[in-house]
Amino acid sequence: MASDTDPPKPQTQRYKCPACYKQFNRKLHLIEHMKISYHSVHQPRCWVCQKHCKSFESVREHINNPLAKTNCSKIFAERGCNHCLRVLDSPSALDEHKQMCRLIAPVPLGTKITPCIESNVGSIMDEMQNGKVQRAVAMDCEMVGGGSDGSIDLCARVCLVDEDENIILHTYVQPQIPVTNYRYEVTGLTEDHLRDAMPLNEVQEKITKILHNGESVGRIPPEGGMARLLVGHGIHHDLDCLRIKYPGHLQRDTAKYRPLMKTNLVSHSLKRLTKTYLGYDIQSGIHDPYEDCISVMRLYKRMRGQDHQQVVKLDDGKANCGFDSFRSTELDKRTPDELYEISISDYKCWCLDLSKDCNRRS
């Protein structure tokens, strides 16, 4: 006689990614997912559920979109900071936090015709003796147009600031070819600003001296030595217009830093990044290089200041060495959490810059 009830169906084992929480029917599929996802402690994540995302914009979408987890959305709406995406312990703690997280906009220099502003910059060795290392320098340029149609970008103004937002160098720059479009609506510059401007070759020498900081040109060691980190937004374009070459591993570009990019890995404007992460408006009229320098330095320091806990090494000492160091049979024996410990990021997190500065002091 047939039973009135069907026997229970065996449950299919599912393999869950410990970083983004995707689930897979086969262990092999989880391993392949982990290989191409580059999950690590450095990825942006939801402060509530700890889900890893490719960028902070992805975290915002996870929290705010209609399909987001109800718990994450509700908690963030009550105690979450819209700038740094942290979740505080209470609404009152959030109010206090916002006073520090939302910054005051810098006062622009304006477009007065002033002589070159230049301050003495001590070497990193001098700064180490004083107990404070200022390794990073932010730079921004304003461009005018050259060529028959004014489409050739020519650097006409440059500004560099240190980590304490002090001006290291500010000067107008004499372009090497005639200016055909001053782009006044954006730059606020006229022929008068550039009449007695500093020649480009002299600007190059000053900037190179600041950046190399005593290191020989062309012989900067892989770890940077005494050379400074150059922070900017679209910094490669500024360097091209200045005709200066600087090692890529010493550049910190907010336009290309993975956590600050859009979900599809397209760059945000500096104006958008500043409003989103720092809480104030820039570039509402004429673009001011000092204002942009301060904003890009603040963005860099906010990203650099993130506290990412380190993964505890596996017994075999292979944590943080990547999947290429393991055979397929070895990976198949690992738990999802152990696979996460093996995974490494596909970009360099700026929080690691602080550890390098600490090594300089020791």
Side-chain angles (χ1 to χ4, degrees), residues 209-353:
K209 182 179 180 181
I210 292 169
L211 296 180
H212 285 72
N213 193 37
E215 292 287 352
S216 299
V217 177
R219 295 185 179 181
I220 296 178
E223 70 280 3
M226 293 295 106
R228 299 183 187 275
L229 298 175
L230 178 60
V231 183
H233 189 81
I235 195 67
H236 181 72
H237 180 247
D238 287 349
L239 289 171
D240 281 348
C241 292
L242 287 166
R243 300 184 183 180
I244 294 176
K245 293 183 178 180
Y246 202 60
H249 69 279
L250 295 177
Q251 298 178 30
R252 300 293 182 265
D253 196 337
T254 55
K256 295 182 179 180
Y257 188 50
R258 189 69 58 83
L260 292 177
M261 299 178 78
K262 298 179 182 180
T263 305
N264 60 358
L265 299 183
V266 174
S267 301
H268 280 296
S269 67
L270 180 58
K271 180 182 180 73
R272 171 69 180 274
L273 292 176
T274 301
K275 181 64 175 179
T276 302
Y277 295 94
L278 303 179
Y280 61 85
D281 293 306
I282 62 170
Q283 301 177 351
S284 54
I286 291 174
H287 290 200
D288 188 281
Y290 172 72
E291 182 183 54
D292 291 353
C293 268
I294 299 299
S295 299
V296 80
M297 178 61 82
R298 289 175 176 178
L299 284 168
Y300 167 71
K301 290 172 66 176
R302 181 154 290 185
M303 293 296 108
R304 187 185 65 179
Q306 294 181 96
D307 184 16
H308 297 145
Q309 79 271 17
Q310 297 300 311
V311 175
V312 178
K313 287 190 175 182
L314 302 172
D315 293 337
D316 53 17
K318 289 185 178 180
N320 297 327
C321 58
F323 290 99
D324 292 340
S325 300
F326 293 84
R327 298 186 181 93
S328 298
T329 53
E330 292 179 305
L331 293 175
D332 193 54
K333 297 176 182 178
R334 303 287 183 179
T335 66
D337 286 337
E338 289 174 336
L339 292 173
Y340 175 73
E341 293 175 4
I342 295 169
S343 182
I344 56 176
S345 176
D346 59 344
Y347 66 91
K348 180 183 177 182
C349 181
W350 289 349
C351 79
L352 300 175
D353 290 342

Side-chain angles (χ1 to χ4, degrees), residues 77-283:
E78 295 173 351
R79 298 184 275 116
C81 174
N82 290 320
H83 300 306
C84 67
L85 302 184
R86 288 185 59 186
V87 173
L88 283 298
D89 295 333
S90 65
S92 60
L94 174 62
D95 292 338
E96 183 178 348
H97 167 81
K98 284 183 176 180
Q99 298 301 317
M100 299 181 295
C101 198
R102 186 188 297 120
L103 303 181
I104 299 175
V107 179
L109 288 180
T111 55
K112 293 181 180 179
I113 302 177
T114 57
C116 169
I117 301 174
E118 190 173 6
S119 64
N120 294 324
V121 183
S123 69
I124 289 180
M125 292 300 295
D126 294 335
E127 292 165 359
M128 288 172 62
Q129 294 176 357
N130 294 330
K132 184 174 184 181
V133 175
Q134 294 259 0
R135 194 184 182 207
V137 170
M139 183 177 77
D140 184 73
C141 299
E142 292 302 325
M143 312 295 178
V144 293
S148 59
D149 59 353
S151 62
I152 300 175
D153 286 339
L154 305 172
C155 179
R157 189 181 184 188
V158 63
C159 183
L160 282 78
V161 302
D162 64 18
E163 293 188 30
D164 289 332
E165 303 182 2
N166 301 309
I167 296 176
I168 301 173
L169 175 69
H170 173 266
T171 186
Y172 296 105
V173 184
Q174 182 63 56
Q176 291 189 316
I177 64 174
V179 178
T180 55
N181 185 354
Y182 284 91
R183 303 174 183 174
Y184 180 79
E185 295 79 7
V186 175
T187 66
L189 301 181
T190 64
E191 183 179 357
D192 292 337
H193 290 90
L194 305 184
R195 181 172 290 113
D196 298 317
M198 185 179 294
L200 179 61
N201 62 339
E202 189 174 339
V203 175
Q204 292 169 336
E205 291 177 6
K206 290 182 180 296
I207 294 177
T208 299
K209 182 179 180 181
I210 292 169
L211 296 180
H212 285 72
N213 193 37
E215 292 287 352
S216 299
V217 177
R219 295 185 179 181
I220 296 178
E223 70 280 3
M226 293 295 106
R228 299 183 187 275
L229 298 175
L230 178 60
V231 183
H233 189 81
I235 195 67
H236 181 72
H237 180 247
D238 287 349
L239 289 171
D240 281 348
C241 292
L242 287 166
R243 300 184 183 180
I244 294 176
K245 293 183 178 180
Y246 202 60
H249 69 279
L250 295 177
Q251 298 178 30
R252 300 293 182 265
D253 196 337
T254 55
K256 295 182 179 180
Y257 188 50
R258 189 69 58 83
L260 292 177
M261 299 178 78
K262 298 179 182 180
T263 305
N264 60 358
L265 299 183
V266 174
S267 301
H268 280 296
S269 67
L270 180 58
K271 180 182 180 73
R272 171 69 180 274
L273 292 176
T274 301
K275 181 64 175 179
T276 302
Y277 295 94
L278 303 179
Y280 61 85
D281 293 306
I282 62 170
Q283 301 177 351

Side-chain angles (χ1 to χ4, degrees), residues 59-76:
V59 177
R60 294 178 192 277
E61 291 177 357
H62 162 75
I63 295 171
N64 296 320
N65 73 39
L67 300 179
K69 286 188 175 181
T70 305
N71 192 44
C72 295
S73 300
K74 181 180 179 181
I75 293 176
F76 188 84

